């Protein structure tokens, strides 16, 4: 078992699942842990980023925390290095035991509600897609490769559905529905992704080009890949997979010049294929993606008005409008404007400010150890970093929001080259986070030799970043 038990945090959309007041407790023993606190994050609505973070005291490895919840709620607990996922409902009393020094020893769960924790962690650790990719060579050697892949997926899905059904009596109807939605969502995604693993073709191309390799069963599955079940609107896993499928398919159409990258045209494509109950959560993810690019503000504003017409969708509308305003604020970090000053602690315990780097071009990267996209960006810009490794006028400044010990350990573990500082145990509450309008991770900036913004959204492709840094070095 890896140190990071799971990097995928399942979370539920805000549901109307309601209970009376029950005593709910989360406790446990972190064997060989030196931590004095751990963090528990309750995940109410992942689309709207509705969470609650609780810092739980740890005394000699033991912790206990009452939780105020009135519905089935996903959560994760972390000591900054390890992550444990769970689904808890009112009345549960969960006890978790985990050896932080020997992750080969399995997690153990005891108490009322343990079955949900056990099931969820086993499901997350199953890594079905990785196993699915291992089936490709066997599938290609069979007469009907797609039947082989679909049969494998169906078999794995039935296994988890059967196991969940056995555990149904140990959980509320609401908890069962949430876990069912996660299973259905995960395998919906795997089924769609499996098609491209064989010949790197879309489902439409496969139906057109591979008729001799399709049986009536596999043909029917391919024809229905873009049909979604609105019954699982409450499952964030299902919602996210539907969004990913639509995004990937539309992106492919744009690549082969069969569709426009225009926001309004793309919206119509999504809206046409989505059943009623899935529209708002999936289209919210769609708009969030469009806002990140901020290509055409007028189209984004028009799309916002089209999507959120009903009063019941006001929470989603408020969320998107705020994201849009924040994106405009970041876009207003114009090239040539003065970069915000800061005062943070480096690896040696010394304070550094923007002036500390006067005369140097700074590539600033805000990150944290458990952030998958952060590590992907580290890899992506490695060639650019290597190119400038001997140039003292270029600084790759990495600012971590982790706690001090987690930050120091992660630098050794991941061997991240560059100049390092952290937010002094204030995490996201450090003034530098608001000053640089950091709303997600990683967030990057390019600052010129005079301490001015050169690019508020530098490219994550190495050769393009290298070119921009070279331009910033030449700028007066």
């Amino acid at each position: 078992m890896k140190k990071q038990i799971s990097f995928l945090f399942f979370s539920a959309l805000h549901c109307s699942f309601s209970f009376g007041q029950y005593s709910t407790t989360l406790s446990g023993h972190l064997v060989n842990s030196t931590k004095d606190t751990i963090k528990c994050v309750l995940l109410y609505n992942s689309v709207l980023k509705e969470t609650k973070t609780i810092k739980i005291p740890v005394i000699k490895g033991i912790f206990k925390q009452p939780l105020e919840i009135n519905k089935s709620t996903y959560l994760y607990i972390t000591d900054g290095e390890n992550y444990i996922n769970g689904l808890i409902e009112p009345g549960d009393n969960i006890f978790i035991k985990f050896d932080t020094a020997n992750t080969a020893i399995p997690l153990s769960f005891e108490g009322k509600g343990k079955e949900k924790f056990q099931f969820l962690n086993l499901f997350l650790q199953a890594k079905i897609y990785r196993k699915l990719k291992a089936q490709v060579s066997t599938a290609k050697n069979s007469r009907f490769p797609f039947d082989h892949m679909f049969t494998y997926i169906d078999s794995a899905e039935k296994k988890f559905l059967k196991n969940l059904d056995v555990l149904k009596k140990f959980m509320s109807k609401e908890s069962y529905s949430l876990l069912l939605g996660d299973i259905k969502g995960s395998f919906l995604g795997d089924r769609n992704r499996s098609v491209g693993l064989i010949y790197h073709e879309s489902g439409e191309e496969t139906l057109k080009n591979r008729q001799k390799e399709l049986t009536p069963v596999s043909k029917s599955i391919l024809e229905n890949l873009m049909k979604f079940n609105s019954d699982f609107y409450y499952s964030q896993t299902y919602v996210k997979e539907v969004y990913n499928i639509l995004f990937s398919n539309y992106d492919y159409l744009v690549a082969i010049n069969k569709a426009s990258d225009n926001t309004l045209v793309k919206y119509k494509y999504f809206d046409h294929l989505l059943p009623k109950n899935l529209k708002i959560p999936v289209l919210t993810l769609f708009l969030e993606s469009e806002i990140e690019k901020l290509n055409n503000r007028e189209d984004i504003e028009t799309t916002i008005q089209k999507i959120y017409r009903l009063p019941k969708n006001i929470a989603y509308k408020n969320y998107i409008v705020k994201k849009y305003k924040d994106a405009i604020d970041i876009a207003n970090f114009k090239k040539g404007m003065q970069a915000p000053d800061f005062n943070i602690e480096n690896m040696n315990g010394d304070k550094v400010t923007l002036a500390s780097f006067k005369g140097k071009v700074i590539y600033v990267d805000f990150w944290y150890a458990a952030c998958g996209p952060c590590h992907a960006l580290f890899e992506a810009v490695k060639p650019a970093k290597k190119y400038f490794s001997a140039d003292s006028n270029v600084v790759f400044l990495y600012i971590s929001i982790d706690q001090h010990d987690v930050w120091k350990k992660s630098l050794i573990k991941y061997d991240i080259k560059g100049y390092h500082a952290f937010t002094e145990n204030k995490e996201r509450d450090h003034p530098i986070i608001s000053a640089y309008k950091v709303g997600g991770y990683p967030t990057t900036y390019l600052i010129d030799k005079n301490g001015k913004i050169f690019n508020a959204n530098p490219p994550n492709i190495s050769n393009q970043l290298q070119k921009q840094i070279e331009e910033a070095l030449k700028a007066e």
Side-chain angles (χ1 to χ4, degrees), residues 93-138:
N93 290 284
I94 305 294
F95 183 88
I96 302 169
K97 187 175 182 180
F98 172 58
D99 192 330
T100 60
N102 186 356
T103 52
I105 299 176
L107 281 164
S108 71
F109 302 101
E110 297 296 335
K112 185 177 184 301
K114 66 180 181 180
E115 294 81 7
K116 297 189 294 296
F117 273 71
Q118 290 169 339
F119 179 86
L120 182 58
N121 281 272
L122 286 172
F123 183 55
L124 294 175
Q125 293 166 26
K127 303 187 186 305
I128 299 299
Y129 185 61
R130 182 184 296 178
K131 295 174 182 177
L132 182 62
K133 289 195 290 186
Q135 294 292 315
V136 173
S137 58
T138 303

Coordinates of all heavy atoms in Angstrom, one line a residue, residues 93-138:
N93 N -20.2 5.2 14.5 CA -19.0 5.4 15.4 C -17.9 4.6 14.8 O -17.7 3.4 15.1 CB -19.4 4.9 16.8 CG -20.4 5.9 17.5 OD1 -20.1 6.9 17.9 ND2 -21.7 5.4 17.5
I94 N -17.0 5.2 14.0 CA -16.0 4.5 13.3 C -14.7 4.6 14.1 O -14.3 5.7 14.5 CB -15.8 5.2 11.9 CG1 -17.1 5.1 11.1 CG2 -14.7 4.5 11.1 CD1 -17.6 3.8 10.8
F95 N -13.9 3.5 14.2 CA -12.6 3.5 14.7 C -11.6 3.0 13.6 O -11.8 1.9 13.1 CB -12.5 2.6 16.0 CG -11.1 2.6 16.6 CD1 -10.8 3.6 17.6 CD2 -10.2 1.7 16.2 CE1 -9.6 3.6 18.2 CE2 -8.9 1.7 16.8 CZ -8.6 2.7 17.8
I96 N -10.6 3.8 13.3 CA -9.7 3.5 12.3 C -8.3 3.2 12.9 O -7.8 4.0 13.7 CB -9.5 4.7 11.3 CG1 -10.9 5.0 10.7 CG2 -8.5 4.4 10.2 CD1 -10.9 6.3 9.9
K97 N -7.6 2.2 12.4 CA -6.3 1.9 12.8 C -5.4 1.8 11.6 O -5.7 1.1 10.6 CB -6.2 0.6 13.6 CG -4.8 0.3 14.2 CD -4.8 -0.9 15.1 CE -3.4 -1.2 15.7 NZ -3.4 -2.4 16.6
F98 N -4.3 2.6 11.7 CA -3.4 2.6 10.5 C -1.9 2.8 11.0 O -1.7 3.7 11.8 CB -3.8 3.8 9.6 CG -2.8 4.1 8.5 CD1 -2.5 3.1 7.6 CD2 -2.2 5.3 8.3 CE1 -1.6 3.3 6.5 CE2 -1.3 5.6 7.3 CZ -1.0 4.6 6.4
D99 N -1.0 2.0 10.5 CA 0.4 2.1 10.8 C 1.1 3.0 9.8 O 1.3 2.7 8.7 CB 1.0 0.7 10.8 CG 2.4 0.7 11.4 OD1 3.1 1.8 11.4 OD2 2.8 -0.3 12.0
T100 N 1.4 4.2 10.3 CA 2.0 5.2 9.4 C 3.4 4.9 9.0 O 3.9 5.4 8.0 CB 2.0 6.6 10.1 OG1 2.8 6.5 11.3 CG2 0.6 7.1 10.4
A101 N 4.1 4.0 9.8 CA 5.5 3.6 9.4 C 5.5 2.4 8.6 O 6.6 2.1 8.0 CB 6.2 3.4 10.7
N102 N 4.5 1.6 8.5 CA 4.5 0.4 7.7 C 3.1 0.3 6.9 O 2.2 -0.3 7.4 CB 4.6 -0.8 8.6 CG 4.8 -2.1 7.7 OD1 4.7 -2.1 6.5 ND2 5.1 -3.2 8.4
T103 N 3.1 0.9 5.7 CA 1.9 1.0 5.0 C 1.5 -0.3 4.3 O 0.5 -0.5 3.7 CB 1.9 2.1 3.9 OG1 3.1 1.9 3.1 CG2 2.0 3.5 4.5
A104 N 2.4 -1.4 4.5 CA 2.1 -2.7 4.0 C 1.0 -3.3 4.9 O 0.3 -4.3 4.4 CB 3.3 -3.6 3.9
I105 N 0.9 -2.8 6.1 CA -0.2 -3.4 7.0 C -1.5 -2.7 6.6 O -1.6 -1.5 6.6 CB 0.2 -3.0 8.5 CG1 1.5 -3.7 8.9 CG2 -0.9 -3.5 9.4 CD1 2.0 -3.3 10.3
P106 N -2.5 -3.5 6.3 CA -3.8 -2.9 5.8 C -4.5 -2.0 6.9 O -4.3 -2.2 8.1 CB -4.6 -4.2 5.5 CG -3.7 -5.3 5.4 CD -2.5 -5.0 6.3
L107 N -5.2 -1.1 6.4 CA -6.1 -0.3 7.2 C -7.1 -1.2 7.9 O -7.5 -2.2 7.3 CB -6.9 0.7 6.4 CG -6.2 2.0 5.9 CD1 -7.1 2.6 4.8 CD2 -6.1 2.9 7.1
S108 N -7.5 -0.9 9.1 CA -8.5 -1.7 9.8 C -9.6 -0.7 10.3 O -9.3 0.4 10.7 CB -8.0 -2.5 11.0 OG -7.7 -1.7 12.0
F109 N -10.9 -1.1 10.1 CA -12.0 -0.3 10.5 C -12.9 -1.1 11.5 O -13.1 -2.3 11.2 CB -12.8 0.1 9.3 CG -12.1 0.9 8.3 CD1 -11.6 0.2 7.1 CD2 -11.8 2.2 8.4 CE1 -10.9 0.9 6.2 CE2 -11.1 2.9 7.4 CZ -10.7 2.3 6.3
E110 N -13.3 -0.5 12.6 CA -14.2 -1.1 13.5 C -15.3 -0.2 13.9 O -15.3 1.0 13.6 CB -13.4 -1.5 14.8 CG -12.3 -2.5 14.6 CD -12.8 -3.8 14.1 OE1 -14.0 -4.2 14.4 OE2 -12.0 -4.6 13.5
G111 N -16.3 -0.7 14.5 CA -17.5 0.1 15.0 C -18.6 0.2 14.0 O -18.6 -0.4 12.9
K112 N -19.7 0.8 14.4 CA -20.9 1.0 13.6 C -20.5 1.8 12.3 O -20.0 2.9 12.5 CB -22.0 1.6 14.4 CG -23.3 1.7 13.6 CD -24.4 2.3 14.5 CE -25.8 2.2 13.8 NZ -25.8 3.0 12.5
G113 N -20.8 1.3 11.2 CA -20.5 2.0 9.9 C -19.3 1.5 9.3 O -18.9 2.1 8.2
K114 N -18.5 0.6 9.8 CA -17.2 0.2 9.3 C -17.4 -0.4 7.9 O -16.4 -0.3 7.1 CB -16.6 -0.9 10.2 CG -17.3 -2.2 10.3 CD -16.6 -3.2 11.2 CE -17.3 -4.5 11.2 NZ -16.7 -5.5 12.1
E115 N -18.5 -1.0 7.6 CA -18.7 -1.7 6.3 C -18.5 -0.7 5.1 O -18.0 -1.0 4.1 CB -20.0 -2.4 6.2 CG -20.2 -3.6 7.2 CD -20.5 -3.2 8.6 OE1 -20.8 -1.9 8.8 OE2 -20.5 -4.0 9.5
K116 N -19.0 0.5 5.3 CA -19.0 1.5 4.2 C -17.5 1.9 4.0 O -17.1 2.1 2.9 CB -19.8 2.7 4.6 CG -21.3 2.5 4.8 CD -22.1 3.7 4.9 CE -21.8 4.5 6.2 NZ -22.2 3.7 7.4
F117 N -16.8 2.1 5.1 CA -15.4 2.5 5.0 C -14.6 1.4 4.3 O -13.7 1.7 3.4 CB -14.8 2.8 6.4 CG -15.0 4.2 6.8 CD1 -16.2 4.7 7.2 CD2 -13.9 5.1 6.9 CE1 -16.4 6.0 7.6 CE2 -14.1 6.4 7.3 CZ -15.3 6.8 7.7
Q118 N -14.8 0.2 4.7 CA -14.1 -1.0 4.1 C -14.4 -1.1 2.6 O -13.5 -1.2 1.8 CB -14.5 -2.3 4.8 CG -14.0 -2.4 6.3 CD -14.6 -3.5 7.0 OE1 -15.7 -4.0 6.7 NE2 -13.9 -3.9 8.1
F119 N -15.7 -1.0 2.3 CA -16.0 -1.1 0.9 C -15.4 0.0 0.0 O -14.9 -0.3 -1.0 CB -17.6 -1.1 0.7 CG -18.0 -1.2 -0.7 CD1 -18.2 -2.5 -1.3 CD2 -18.3 -0.1 -1.5 CE1 -18.6 -2.6 -2.6 CE2 -18.7 -0.2 -2.8 CZ -18.8 -1.5 -3.4
L120 N -15.5 1.2 0.5 CA -15.1 2.3 -0.3 C -13.6 2.3 -0.5 O -13.1 2.5 -1.6 CB -15.4 3.7 0.4 CG -15.0 5.0 -0.3 CD1 -15.6 5.0 -1.7 CD2 -15.4 6.2 0.6
N121 N -12.8 1.9 0.5 CA -11.3 1.9 0.4 C -10.9 0.7 -0.5 O -10.0 0.8 -1.3 CB -10.7 1.8 1.7 CG -10.6 3.1 2.4 OD1 -9.6 3.9 2.2 ND2 -11.6 3.5 3.2
L122 N -11.6 -0.4 -0.4 CA -11.3 -1.5 -1.3 C -11.6 -1.2 -2.8 O -10.9 -1.5 -3.7 CB -12.1 -2.8 -0.9 CG -11.6 -3.5 0.3 CD1 -12.6 -4.6 0.7 CD2 -10.2 -4.1 0.1
F123 N -12.7 -0.5 -3.0 CA -13.1 0.0 -4.3 C -12.1 0.9 -4.9 O -11.7 0.8 -6.1 CB -14.5 0.6 -4.3 CG -15.0 1.0 -5.6 CD1 -15.1 0.1 -6.7 CD2 -15.4 2.3 -5.8 CE1 -15.6 0.5 -7.9 CE2 -15.9 2.7 -7.1 CZ -16.0 1.8 -8.1
L124 N -11.6 1.9 -4.1 CA -10.6 2.9 -4.6 C -9.3 2.2 -4.9 O -8.6 2.6 -5.8 CB -10.4 4.0 -3.5 CG -11.6 4.9 -3.3 CD1 -11.3 5.8 -2.1 CD2 -12.0 5.6 -4.5
Q125 N -8.9 1.2 -4.1 CA -7.7 0.5 -4.3 C -7.7 -0.5 -5.4 O -6.6 -1.0 -5.8 CB -7.2 -0.1 -3.0 CG -6.9 0.9 -1.9 CD -6.8 0.3 -0.5 OE1 -6.5 -0.9 -0.4 NE2 -7.1 1.0 0.5
A126 N -8.8 -0.8 -5.9 CA -8.9 -1.9 -7.0 C -8.2 -1.5 -8.3 O -7.8 -2.4 -9.0 CB -10.4 -2.2 -7.2
K127 N -8.2 -0.2 -8.6 CA -7.5 0.3 -9.8 C -7.9 -0.5 -11.0 O -7.1 -1.0 -11.8 CB -6.0 0.2 -9.6 CG -5.5 1.0 -8.4 CD -4.0 1.0 -8.3 CE -3.5 1.6 -7.0 NZ -4.0 3.0 -6.7
I128 N -9.3 -0.5 -11.3 CA -9.8 -1.2 -12.4 C -9.3 -0.8 -13.7 O -9.0 -1.6 -14.6 CB -11.4 -1.1 -12.3 CG1 -12.0 -1.6 -11.0 CG2 -12.0 -1.8 -13.6 CD1 -11.7 -3.1 -10.8
Y129 N -9.1 0.5 -13.9 CA -8.7 1.0 -15.2 C -7.3 0.5 -15.5 O -7.0 0.1 -16.7 CB -8.7 2.5 -15.3 CG -8.4 3.1 -16.7 CD1 -9.1 2.7 -17.8 CD2 -7.3 3.9 -16.8 CE1 -8.8 3.2 -19.0 CE2 -7.0 4.4 -18.1 CZ -7.7 4.0 -19.2 OH -7.4 4.5 -20.4
R130 N -6.4 0.5 -14.5 CA -5.1 0.0 -14.8 C -5.1 -1.5 -15.2 O -4.4 -2.0 -16.1 CB -4.2 0.1 -13.5 CG -2.8 -0.4 -13.6 CD -2.0 -0.3 -12.3 NE -1.9 1.1 -11.8 CZ -1.3 1.4 -10.7 NH1 -0.9 0.5 -9.9 NH2 -1.3 2.7 -10.4
K131 N -6.0 -2.3 -14.5 CA -6.1 -3.7 -14.9 C -6.8 -3.8 -16.3 O -6.5 -4.8 -17.0 CB -7.0 -4.4 -13.8 CG -6.3 -4.5 -12.5 CD -7.3 -5.1 -11.4 CE -6.6 -5.1 -10.0 NZ -7.5 -5.6 -9.0
L132 N -7.7 -2.9 -16.6 CA -8.3 -2.9 -17.9 C -7.3 -2.7 -19.0 O -7.3 -3.4 -20.0 CB -9.4 -1.8 -18.0 CG -10.2 -1.7 -19.2 CD1 -11.0 -3.0 -19.4 CD2 -11.1 -0.5 -19.1
K133 N -6.3 -1.8 -18.8 CA -5.3 -1.6 -19.8 C -4.4 -2.8 -20.0 O -3.9 -3.0 -21.1 CB -4.4 -0.4 -19.4 CG -5.1 1.0 -19.5 CD -4.2 2.1 -19.5 CE -3.6 2.3 -18.1 NZ -2.7 3.5 -18.0
A134 N -4.3 -3.6 -19.0 CA -3.5 -4.8 -19.1 C -4.2 -5.9 -19.9 O -3.6 -6.8 -20.4 CB -3.2 -5.4 -17.7
Q135 N -5.5 -5.7 -20.2 CA -6.3 -6.6 -21.0 C -6.2 -6.3 -22.5 O -6.6 -7.1 -23.3 CB -7.7 -6.6 -20.6 CG -8.0 -7.1 -19.2 CD -7.8 -8.6 -19.1 OE1 -8.2 -9.3 -19.9 NE2 -7.1 -9.0 -18.0
V136 N -5.6 -5.2 -22.9 CA -5.6 -4.8 -24.3 C -4.9 -5.8 -25.2 O -5.4 -6.1 -26.3 CB -4.9 -3.4 -24.4 CG1 -4.7 -3.0 -25.9 CG2 -5.7 -2.3 -23.7
S137 N -3.7 -6.3 -24.9 CA -3.0 -7.2 -25.8 C -3.8 -8.5 -26.0 O -3.9 -9.0 -27.1 CB -1.6 -7.5 -25.2 OG -1.8 -8.1 -23.9
T138 N -4.5 -9.0 -24.9 CA -5.3 -10.2 -25.1 C -6.5 -9.9 -25.9 O -6.9 -10.7 -26.8 CB -5.8 -10.6 -23.7 OG1 -4.7 -10.9 -22.8 CG2 -6.6 -11.9 -23.8

